[in-house]
Amino acid sequence: MASQANRANIILTGFMGTGKTTTGKLIASQLDYNFVDTDDLIEERAERTIPQIFAELGEEAFRQMENDIAVELAEKRGFVIATGGRMMLDSANAEALGATGQVICLVATPEEILARIAQDDTGIPRPLLSGPDPADRVRQLFQEREAAYQRFYQITTTGKAPTDVAAEVIHFLNAKIS
Ligand code: S3P
């Protein structure tokens, strides 16, 4: 088997609440890959939470941090990379990270996304949904982004446990290389 450093990355994209982080950790542990979550990396570097970055530095600064992280992670191999919900919809990020491995988009219905976000126990709110009507905002963002997410290979997560989604991703990757 190729050493971990030579193995192509697995890049997870998809709307907020589709389970990129939870599923990504499961895939990484099952395949013995490293795991990184771009939002976590940005928070660590900025020494601020994502909501603080949006509030204090603005969304543009956050998107620039995503661009910088994409360039940096494009040098790595053997990683499962859980990306922030819009990161791979930026063409420069998609090009940089897409060249390092397989991109998989996790999808869920807006209703499921809303239910999952409501149950999210990280305690960190999503700044893009902090307005008066998060449900309406999810539907609006969902419509805006749906076509762009369709550029990537998609796996539906609605009604599935993260372990099942991880198994599906691994099955797809195995089928691809065999
Ligand atoms: C965002 C999604 C978030 C985070 C930021 C912006 C988006 O990541 O990057 O709040 O624009 O969809 P998750 O998809 O991990 O929630």
Side-chain angles (χ1 to χ4, degrees):
M1 184 187 276
S3 79
Q4 195 181 70
N6 293 330
R7 289 197 279 172
N9 293 326
I10 300 162
I11 302 109
L12 298 181
T13 182
F15 205 87
M16 292 171 257
T18 51
K20 300 178 296 272
T21 304
T22 311
T23 309
K25 282 181 182 166
L26 289 168
I27 298 166
S29 97
Q30 284 176 40
L31 297 181
D32 196 22
Y33 268 49
N34 293 303
F35 174 80
V36 65
D37 178 297
T38 60
D39 284 343
D40 288 350
L41 205 53
I42 287 173
E43 289 189 325
E44 214 179 282
R45 300 277 167 82
E47 297 181 339
R48 291 170 167 90
T49 63
I50 304 282
Q52 283 169 345
I53 297 171
F54 272 67
E56 294 168 20
L57 309 175
E59 180 171 353
E60 209 177 306
F62 174 75
R63 299 302 175 195
Q64 181 59 52
M65 292 176 200
E66 286 190 319
N67 293 146
D68 296 343
I69 296 280
V71 170
E72 188 180 323
L73 292 179
E75 298 301 314
K76 313 262 186 213
R77 295 296 180 276
F79 273 75
V80 175
I81 305 172
T83 59
R86 216 207 70 172
M87 186 162 173
M88 292 296 283
L89 302 187
D90 175 284
S91 54
N93 296 342
E95 211 169 293
L97 289 179
T100 75
Q102 177 67 48
V103 183
I104 292 176
C105 180
L106 302 185
V107 292
T109 59
E111 292 69 31
E112 175 105 359
I113 286 166
L114 278 162
R116 288 190 195 157
I117 289 172
Q119 278 172 18
D120 192 340
D121 56 6
T122 59
I124 297 176
R126 275 141 171 121
L128 290 180
L129 307 181
S130 61
D133 191 345
D136 191 52
R137 186 80 178 115
V138 163
R139 284 187 206 100
Q140 186 195 350
L141 283 172
F142 194 87
Q143 269 198 340
E144 278 172 26
R145 295 179 180 182
E146 203 179 8
Y149 285 130
Q150 280 168 2
R151 285 199 301 259
F152 305 108
Y153 179 79
Q154 299 202 326
I155 290 186
T156 301
T157 68
T158 302
K160 293 177 191 163
T163 46
D164 295 334
V165 179
E168 227 178 289
V169 171
I170 292 171
H171 180 78
F172 167 73
L173 293 169
N174 285 337
K176 236 195 118 198
I177 56 171
S178 62

